[in-house]
């Protein structure tokens, strides 16, 4: 079966709304994860730390430039992901529609190509 990545994206505002009721959000998220485990579709799920704790390595110039976070605009922060093993994009979208998310958040659904789809170079 194909794998799909549900990428959680939020804004400063949606993240603040989520943090305002973090206990309820965490409980709802744990329940959602249990439902995916019972359905046999969850391969992995992780949330990310505050962007201020991260860094960006920029390859725009001749040498990579490292910038400590926070960095760039925070209109759509990548906050975490769910990796699912489902039969189709539509099934992944149906799971994405059930993600407990704060208003203003988005879930990006992306297929993860199998190893047989990635060019292997000259053989």
């Amino acid at each position: 079966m194909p794998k799909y990545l549900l990428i959680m994206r939020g804004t400063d505002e949606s993240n603040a709304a989520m943090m305002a009721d973090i206990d309820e959000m965490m409980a709802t998220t744990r329940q959602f994860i249990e439902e995916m485990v019972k359905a046999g579709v969850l391969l992995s799920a992780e949330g990310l730390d505050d962007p201020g704790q991260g860094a960006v390595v920029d390859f725009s110039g001749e040498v990579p430039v490292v910038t400590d976070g926070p960095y760039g605009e925070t209109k759509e922060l990548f906050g975490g992901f769910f990796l699912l093993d489902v039969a189709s994009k539509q099934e992944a979208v149906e799971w994405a529609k059930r993600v407990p998310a704060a208003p203003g958040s988005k879930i990006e659904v992306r297929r993860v190509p199998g190893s047989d789809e990635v060019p292997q170079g000259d053989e």
Side-chain angles (χ1 to χ4, degrees), residues 31-97:
Q31 180 180 359
F32 177 66
I33 288 171
E34 287 174 16
E35 291 171 13
M36 290 189 294
V37 168
K38 286 179 186 174
V41 300
L42 183 66
L43 297 175
S44 181
E46 297 289 339
L48 298 178
D49 199 1
D50 181 275
Q53 302 301 312
V56 169
V57 180
D58 184 346
F59 292 90
S60 298
E62 289 184 29
V63 296
V65 175
V66 178
T67 305
D68 287 329
Y71 44 82
E73 294 189 43
T74 57
K75 288 191 251 180
E76 290 192 3
L77 298 170
F78 177 18
F81 68 89
F82 298 100
L83 180 61
L84 307 183
D85 187 7
V86 294
S88 66
K89 176 180 163 186
Q90 186 55 42
E91 186 177 354
V93 167
E94 290 304 315
W95 281 106
K97 288 165 46 176

Side-chain angles (χ1 to χ4, degrees), residues 8-24:
M8 303 176 338
R9 296 191 180 276
T11 62
D12 286 336
E13 293 79 19
S14 66
N15 289 341
M18 180 183 70
M19 294 306 289
D21 202 357
I22 191 65
D23 292 335
E24 182 178 335

